[in-house]
Amino acid sequence: MGKDRKDGFEEWDGYMNAKITKLEEQFSKASDPFRQTELFKGISIYVNGHTNPSADELKRIMMVHSGVFHHYERSHTTFIIASNLPDVKIRNMNTSKIISPQWVVDCVSAQKIVDYSKYLLYTNQSTSQPKITFQKVEKDDEPKASNVSSIMRDLAELNAKMKETKPDISPEPKQSGSAMTAVDPKFLSEFYNNSRLHHIATLGAGFKKYVSDLRDKHNGDFPDRQKLKEILPKSEIFVKNGQTVMHIDMDCFFVSVGLRKRPHLRGKPVAVTHSKGKSEHVPLKDGVNREKEMDLFVKKIEKKAQDNVKASNINSFSDKSSLSEVASCSYEARAKGVKNGMFMGLAMKLCPGIQAIPYDFEAYKEVAETLYNTVAQYTLNIEAVSCDEMFVDLTDLLNDVETTPMDFVTALRNEVKEKTGCPCSAGVGSNRLQARMATKKAKPDGQFHLLKENVEEYFQNIAIKELPGVGSSTSYTLNELNWKTCGDLQTVSLYKIQAEFGKKFGETLHQFCRGIDNRPLVYGQIRKSVSAEVNYGIRFKENAECETFLKQLCVEVHARLMDIKRKGKCITLKVMVRAPEAPVETSKFMGHGVCDNQTKSVSLTEFTCDLEVITRTVLSTMRSLNIPPHELRGIGIQITKLNEEAPSKKDSVLMNMFSKVAEKQKDKPLKPKETVVEVDKKSEEKSIKGMFSKMSESTKIKSEEEKKPKTKKKNQPTGNIMGMLQNMPSRKRTSDYLVPDDIDESVLAELPEDIRREILQARSDQQKSIEERVKARITKSVKDKKEEIEEIQEEEQEPNIFLQKDNCRILLAWMQSCDEPDSYDVELIIKNAIDLITRKESHEIYDPIAFMCRYLTNIDNCRWHLAGKKVIEAVQSQMTTVYGGKMFMKDTISCNKCD
Ligand SMILES: Nc1ccn([C@H]2C[C@H](O)[C@@H](COP(=O)(O)OP(=O)(O)OP(=O)(O)O)O2)c(=O)n1
Ligand SMILES: [Mg+2]
């Protein structure tokens, strides 16, 4: 799932031009019956932003007076009408065309075209006057406030006339007995029963956990491999021949499952959708204005994506066709241009014979389980992507069974088909990107092995927009640059790509276009948030109704948190509020229409999974937003900053220490009155002594089980990463942080007595676990690369190390954890420090940075010195940029060897 979707915007280009032309034609045709004068003949306007009269009213004025109203700015648009445009918006605009709406009003009142130059919004920038073919341009005096109200009266009449021409309309039929709006107590459960996105997301997350649980329980033995050994031909080619990754994905999953009960539809164009698919037209509800909604929708999207992104899939929006989405369509329908995610109305236009079939979530779940269980018989090196898609590392399996990837994949696909009755496709390559791209060629019902020697050539023909992480905005820029295929990109230097797409993403693209992908597969379940959102059927009259619903939603999100046995520390309320200019009635029955989104987060003092705390926080947050209940169109609750579940899973040494510190607080009782607290963490105690006393608090919570016999010696060798990975005894980690035996005596001497004793005690107890930790760290550093790439796309905010209460303790534990710092950790420290300096909060970093310098200057390890110096250098450079001067540092890192 997900791989082919580019947010539904990929078809924009051709569509947009056709759309604009169509809108213009429609406008001209629709104007015919209302035309009264030729006042604006030859003049076209485009309205940008809020105006008075409104865009709608200006449009009608144009209709009556033979002007042209452009829904989008075009090169030949005569005037842009605006009242007030933000600087960023006008930067790339031809300001000599931007005039106030008063010009239109004054023209109408004067019954002639008045000189527009007095209405220019940006006179100082105006260089050349636009050449317009006025019928007759007459000089006029100062613009006068015209009789707007009489014009509005005329428009009101016009409005009434236009309404008369609308067809008879009634609401979109809905199954009787179903809960229509969120006011109904049954609504939430029905919503989740019917929401396909909810089902898909739940299933996807469920399989990640499923795989993770299977791995935890597994004893390392796969008896079913025996079966493969018996039936598959032996081959030595792939034994010890590097990594082999398979990507497997069910073909038109929902359709294939649905066809099991409908064999007569096999080979035909079929779509799974809520819509009945009988008639192309659905009646419109009174007050619905699809065209206006579409325009607003497009504008919103454009604004959001800095005018880079345009919306597609909405060409069926302005008429009366079905707005139900196609969840999945058969390959026969795809041959006619139908795609997953498309509106059914458009699908029916492209493929008139398309047959609609209903959802069957229970069956999807059953088939998905069979798919996962079939693969899991042979290996658990599975990264679950969604209910119908996963990555599998076949390396170990192939070496064991001694067979070729293609032989194994054939057997596997046959087994899946036999057990589920549904076809799937698989791609194989030497990393996940290659495997995924290979699946594209394999589909439908096929398999493809992308051999190493063919990678570069294969990628040459892949469109860049097909690469993971390339969304509509990137695609737009790529188009502008005329970089279309990976082959095009292969000829561009890294530097140039980075200049366009930033350092990280640029590097990713530079590698991806060559089929290079260092992201390892992730087998554990990484859950960063839990949420419940509803954006359908939200229609409240009273605050009380809204609160009742919020309480239900809290129960839902709480249940999800309990399901994964986690606690969270940040509660975010997301609301969709009808945009002021959007029609009250939405085109999509009970849909959310065009909305403004508002988000408010509250950080709690402690981790919680307490329903009462969650509910109280959510309700008070909603009250503080002060939104009239009838304007709400969507509500979501998200819980983030989850406590760590299985410590071995991911992240750098530093991040692990980080979450461990937080976890230690989990046993402290919750203080309900203090739950709603701002994130501001201005530390009361800034002295090193103060920090150490905090450190001592945490240090005391060290548990008995962590105390292990001593085995580790200084300078643990870190070579042979793969060997270490394979020999790792367990994925579990036991202790919280390290206190190695090479701690400098002078540093020890500086510590308060109680800490020093703790450290000495812990040092003697922890030697064994150090060894495990070094291995774990290496494992992680391999994984970190992957995280790095994925993080580019993640919106979630990472916690800042410097804002942690125990920042010095975390730094100390990190600096003592290994002989050589991981570059990821160093980058993280730099990033966190720079973030704070940029926010002009350099005071937050001062003490921990000073502490770090003081500690590092006292140890004899140049690798750490260099890391420390790198941090200082970055800090000082950012200080100079932001504050115009360097940070005062009492202690600097000095060393005879590496200075
Ligand atoms: N916009 C979308 C896309 C997908 N899905 C659901 C229905 C799909 O059947 C399922 C799996 O998604 P895929 O992206 O794997 O698409 P298909 O399996 O339908 O087709 P393909 O053969 O391209 O994998 O997820 C959905 O509800 N809405
Ligand atoms: Mg699929």
Side-chain angles (χ1 to χ4, degrees):
M1 191 186 92
K3 64 212 166 296
D4 286 330
R5 269 166 288 145
K6 304 271 186 260
D7 309 333
F9 300 133
E10 63 284 317
E11 295 168 325
W12 174 256
D13 283 348
Y15 153 68
M16 198 56 197
N17 286 330
K19 170 80 209 167
I20 291 169
T21 311
K22 191 174 151 214
L23 281 172
E24 280 177 18
E25 281 165 10
Q26 276 175 357
F27 181 83
S28 161
K29 215 165 143 210
S31 304
D32 285 345
F34 309 107
R35 204 161 283 142
Q36 288 170 12
T37 77
E38 300 214 315
L39 179 66
F40 293 114
K41 194 162 184 183
I43 296 177
S44 54
I45 62 165
Y46 162 70
V47 180
N48 195 334
H50 287 285
T51 52
N52 183 18
S54 70
D56 230 29
E57 288 158 347
L58 291 168
K59 178 174 166 184
R60 293 202 185 112
I61 293 174
M62 288 287 130
M63 283 175 119
V64 175
H65 300 286
S66 307
V68 177
F69 182 88
H70 284 169
H71 288 82
Y72 304 92
E73 192 199 334
R74 313 204 68 183
S75 54
H76 59 274
T77 303
T78 323
F79 293 120
I80 297 164
I81 308 284
S83 294
N84 182 16
L85 291 174
D87 278 359
V88 278
K89 239 181 173 177
I90 58 159
R91 218 169 281 152
N92 298 321
M93 287 170 81
N94 175 359
T95 52
S96 65
K97 279 179 154 189
I98 310 175
I99 58 170
S100 133
Q102 187 66 31
W103 176 79
V104 177
V105 176
D106 288 353
C107 289
V108 174
S109 99
Q111 294 290 303
K112 62 179 183 186
I113 298 297
V114 300
D115 180 6
Y116 71 91
S117 62
K118 308 210 174 78
Y119 300 82
L120 281 167
L121 245 58
Y122 304 93
T123 44
N124 53 340
Q125 296 170 50
S126 160
T127 47
S128 64
Q129 296 272 306
K131 290 186 180 43
I132 44 175
T133 49
F134 290 147
Q135 270 191 309
K136 45 185 166 78
V137 182
E138 289 180 22
K139 289 261 176 283
D140 201 66
D141 300 319
E142 285 295 294
K144 48 184 179 283
S146 314
N147 189 353
V148 180
S149 56
S150 82
I151 295 172
M152 292 307 142
R153 249 198 324 275
D154 292 348
L155 285 173
E157 277 169 30
L158 172 62
N159 220 354
K161 264 196 215 164
M162 287 177 83
K163 252 197 166 160
E164 282 164 22
T165 66
K166 271 195 180 172
D168 196 18
I169 39 188
S170 60
E172 191 170 342
K174 193 89 180 136
Q175 302 95 312
S176 60
S178 67
M180 303 273 274
T181 77
V183 177
D184 191 312
K186 291 197 306 258
F187 176 83
L188 200 61
S189 60
E190 284 197 15
F191 176 83
Y192 282 122
N193 283 341
N194 291 315
S195 160
R196 84 170 195 280
L197 293 176
H198 163 70
H199 280 279
I200 298 168
T202 316
L203 277 177
F207 284 113
K208 284 187 187 10
K209 180 154 170 43
Y210 185 58
V211 170
S212 173
D213 290 350
L214 285 178
R215 287 176 65 88
D216 282 345
K217 282 187 267 172
H218 197 254
N219 62 3
D221 200 23
F222 293 95
D224 288 300
R225 284 188 187 175
Q226 192 51 41
K227 188 169 77 186
L228 294 177
K229 285 179 187 165
E230 282 157 23
I231 57 166
L232 294 180
K234 278 229 179 314
S235 160
E236 299 218 340
I237 304 172
F238 289 93
V239 178
K240 298 183 181 65
N241 194 15
Q243 194 189 26
T244 307
V245 177
M246 170 182 73
H247 173 246
I248 187 163
D249 188 318
M250 302 300 289
D251 298 320
C252 49
F253 184 46
F254 285 12
V255 169
S256 303
V257 173
L259 291 185
R260 300 190 305 176
K261 284 196 218 151
R262 301 172 182 82
H264 59 286
L265 291 181
R266 282 192 194 280
K268 302 210 164 108
V270 176
V272 172
T273 171
H274 276 305
S275 152
K276 298 263 185 306
K278 289 263 161 37
S279 123
E280 191 185 310
H281 293 287
V282 292
L284 285 185
K285 195 173 169 3
D286 209 356
V288 164
N289 183 347
R290 283 192 175 181
E291 195 159 306
K292 180 167 182 188
E293 238 181 291
M294 184 204 78
D295 286 339
L296 285 170
F297 182 42
V298 172
K299 280 185 193 143
K300 290 242 158 195
I301 294 167
E302 286 176 342
K303 202 166 141 210
K304 203 167 157 190
Q306 295 159 330
D307 286 0
N308 268 358
V309 183
K310 321 277 178 169
S312 78
N313 197 4
I314 36 184
N315 36 351
S316 60
F317 201 91
S318 55
D319 53 34
K320 302 178 206 74
S321 56
S322 169
L323 295 181
S324 286
E325 275 172 46
V326 170
S328 179
C329 55
S330 66
Y331 278 77
E332 290 75 7
R334 291 181 203 203
K336 299 265 166 41
V338 181
K339 291 185 176 172
N340 286 2
M342 192 176 256
F343 289 138
M344 190 57 184
L346 177 57
M348 285 190 282
K349 269 188 206 151
L350 293 169
C351 178
I354 195 165
Q355 303 264 350
I357 61 171
Y359 289 91
D360 185 353
F361 294 111
E362 276 310 307
Y364 307 146
K365 191 168 168 218
E366 175 214 308
V367 172
E369 270 170 18
T370 310
L371 168 72
Y372 273 89
N373 287 334
T374 306
V375 179
Q377 300 171 95
Y378 307 120
T379 178
L380 284 173
N381 290 341
I382 298 173
E383 176 179 324
V385 177
S386 73
C387 55
D388 84 325
E389 179 184 358
M390 68 184 96
F391 288 103
V392 187
D393 189 328
L394 300 180
T395 318
D396 162 58
L397 160 73
L398 296 175
N399 283 341
D400 184 16
V401 179
E402 297 187 346
T403 191
T404 68
M406 284 295 94
D407 284 331
F408 167 72
V409 172
T410 309
L412 181 75
R413 289 182 46 244
N414 284 340
E415 191 174 345
V416 170
K417 199 180 219 166
E418 204 175 285
K419 287 177 173 169
T420 65
C422 300
C424 64
S425 302
V428 176
S430 44
N431 60 40
R432 43 192 292 163
L433 175 68
Q434 291 175 15
R436 187 171 180 170
M437 292 300 141
T439 309
K440 285 184 189 283
K441 184 161 172 154
K443 272 187 175 288
D445 200 8
Q447 59 192 54
F448 176 62
H449 185 185
L450 178 52
L451 295 168
K452 278 201 180 96
E453 54 271 29
N454 300 333
V455 169
E456 193 152 336
E457 199 192 326
Y458 183 77
F459 271 77
Q460 269 164 10
N461 298 319
I462 291 178
I464 309 169
K465 61 177 198 259
E466 307 260 301
L467 294 174
V470 178
S472 41
S473 181
T474 311
S475 292
Y476 182 89
T477 314
L478 287 165
N479 248 343
E480 298 277 287
L481 293 161
N482 211 17
W483 297 348
K484 297 213 156 46
T485 62
C486 288
D488 296 339
L489 207 56
Q490 283 172 11
T491 63
V492 184
S493 73
L494 170 64
Y495 174 77
K496 210 161 165 198
I497 303 177
Q498 286 180 325
E500 293 295 339
F501 298 104
K503 189 166 175 287
K504 269 187 177 173
F505 191 51
E507 190 181 351
T508 305
L509 282 177
H510 187 254
Q511 294 186 336
F512 278 11
C513 73
R514 294 170 167 75
I516 301 168
D517 181 2
N518 300 319
R519 298 169 304 162
L521 268 55
V522 178
Y523 306 134
Q525 180 209 18
I526 296 173
R527 204 53 197 268
K528 290 198 167 173
S529 67
V530 169
S531 61
E533 270 173 54
V534 176
N535 53 25
Y536 179 83
I538 300 288
R539 296 292 187 278
F540 304 117
K541 287 198 190 81
E542 314 282 341
N543 272 322
E545 290 168 350
C546 173
E547 297 212 341
T548 307
F549 178 74
L550 279 172
K551 286 179 194 162
Q552 293 173 2
L553 204 59
C554 286
V555 170
E556 178 69 33
V557 82
H558 171 255
R560 293 182 191 184
L561 196 60
M562 298 307 281
D563 272 355
I564 59 163
K565 301 188 183 70
R566 305 279 285 275
K567 292 180 177 186
K569 216 179 176 190
C570 182
I571 300 180
T572 303
L573 182 67
K574 295 178 174 179
V575 290
M576 297 173 84
V577 186
R578 182 181 70 88
E581 62 277 29
V584 175
E585 273 315 327
T586 52
S587 294
K588 185 167 180 147
F589 181 65
M590 286 295 156
H592 56 71
V594 183
C595 286
D596 290 327
N597 297 327
Q598 290 187 36
T599 307
K600 187 159 183 183
S601 297
V602 175
S603 288
L604 308 179
T605 46
E606 315 288 353
F607 286 101
T608 189
C609 60
D610 186 312
L611 177 59
E612 216 192 303
V613 174
I614 297 171
T615 310
R616 199 174 44 232
T617 311
V618 165
L619 291 181
S620 70
T621 312
M622 182 57 106
R623 278 179 215 129
S624 74
L625 290 176
N626 214 3
I627 299 162
H630 60 274
E631 300 291 20
L632 287 166
R633 293 290 181 269
I635 300 182
I637 301 169
Q638 189 183 33
I639 304 198
T640 50
K641 297 191 185 157
L642 302 185
N643 61 352
E644 194 80 351
E645 180 201 37
S648 67
K649 278 199 202 104
K650 57 166 221 127
D651 284 333
S652 65
V653 184
L654 195 52
M655 290 307 283
N656 267 331
M657 288 167 178
F658 214 163
S659 41
K660 282 286 146 193
V661 174
E663 184 137 27
K664 285 185 173 167
Q665 298 168 359
K666 75 181 173 200
D667 297 329
K668 293 184 192 165
L670 269 181
K671 294 171 234 155
K673 282 201 173 139
E674 290 173 29
T675 47
V676 182
V677 171
E678 256 319 300
V679 212
D680 187 10
K681 292 225 168 121
K682 296 223 165 67
S683 133
E684 308 123 41
E685 278 185 280
K686 288 266 168 62
S687 67
I688 300 272
K689 189 165 172 268
M691 282 161 198
F692 277 142
S693 63
K694 283 178 195 152
M695 284 168 57
S696 78
E697 253 174 61
S698 318
T699 324
K700 279 177 197 153
I701 321 177
K702 217 162 267 302
S703 67
E704 279 306 309
E705 71 192 45
E706 294 164 16
K707 298 181 179 167
K708 296 230 168 148
K710 179 176 185 167
T711 53
K712 199 255 170 191
K713 282 289 144 276
K714 203 175 163 179
N715 296 329
Q716 166 78 28
T718 54
N720 194 355
I721 295 177
M722 291 321 285
M724 280 182 171
L725 289 181
Q726 274 150 20
N727 294 330
M728 274 187 58
S730 132
R731 302 193 305 128
K732 296 245 163 20
R733 286 176 54 171
T734 45
S735 57
D736 287 311
Y737 62 88
L738 297 178
V739 184
D741 56 358
D742 55 350
I743 186 165
D744 192 293
E745 287 308 315
S746 64
V747 177
L748 258 188
E750 277 193 56
L751 300 175
E753 177 61 13
D754 54 347
I755 303 235
R756 196 154 53 87
R757 253 190 281 118
E758 283 284 344
I759 290 177
L760 290 171
Q761 175 63 42
R763 187 160 76 179
S764 66
D765 290 335
Q766 286 191 351
Q767 297 311 321
K768 173 83 185 300
S769 79
I770 285 169
E771 213 172 88
E772 282 179 24
R773 263 157 197 283
V774 172
K775 288 175 189 168
R777 187 180 68 81
I778 294 161
T779 317
K780 267 169 215 86
S781 73
V782 175
K783 288 189 176 176
D784 287 341
K785 271 280 163 279
K786 176 202 171 273
E787 304 290 343
E788 214 172 297
I789 294 166
E790 286 185 350
E791 268 159 22
I792 305 167
Q793 291 142 25
E794 269 173 27
E795 278 181 17
E796 256 172 62
Q797 257 194 329
E798 285 265 324
N800 191 308
I801 285 166
F802 294 99
L803 293 179
Q804 303 308 302
K805 259 196 259 157
D806 310 71
N807 48 22
C808 283
R809 196 186 69 78
I810 296 166
L811 285 175
L812 177 67
W814 171 57
M815 292 184 288
Q816 295 174 343
S817 66
C818 45
D819 288 333
E820 186 174 359
D822 191 278
S823 65
Y824 175 82
D825 288 334
V826 178
E827 293 299 332
L828 185 71
I829 299 266
I830 292 176
K831 183 173 166 285
N832 285 181
I834 285 181
D835 279 353
L836 288 171
I837 300 171
T838 311
R839 281 159 48 185
K840 295 224 164 187
E841 292 177 20
S842 62
H843 58 276
E844 301 283 7
I845 68 166
Y846 180 78
D847 285 337
I849 290 283
F851 171 70
M852 182 190 81
C853 288
R854 195 158 159 204
Y855 175 76
L856 291 181
T857 207
N858 280 316
I859 64 166
D860 179 24
N861 181 332
C862 291
R863 277 172 272 184
W864 274 101
H865 293 158
L866 293 172
K869 286 178 195 168
K870 195 171 166 193
V871 173
I872 304 297
E873 198 182 310
V875 163
Q876 296 296 30
S877 145
Q878 189 68 0
M879 285 295 294
T880 313
T881 311
V882 175
Y883 291 91
K886 291 188 175 173
M887 179 182 273
F888 168 72
M889 296 216 183
K890 210 163 117 234
D891 300 294
T892 48
I893 304 167
S894 62
C895 162
N896 304 337
K897 283 181 257 169
C898 66
D899 270 349

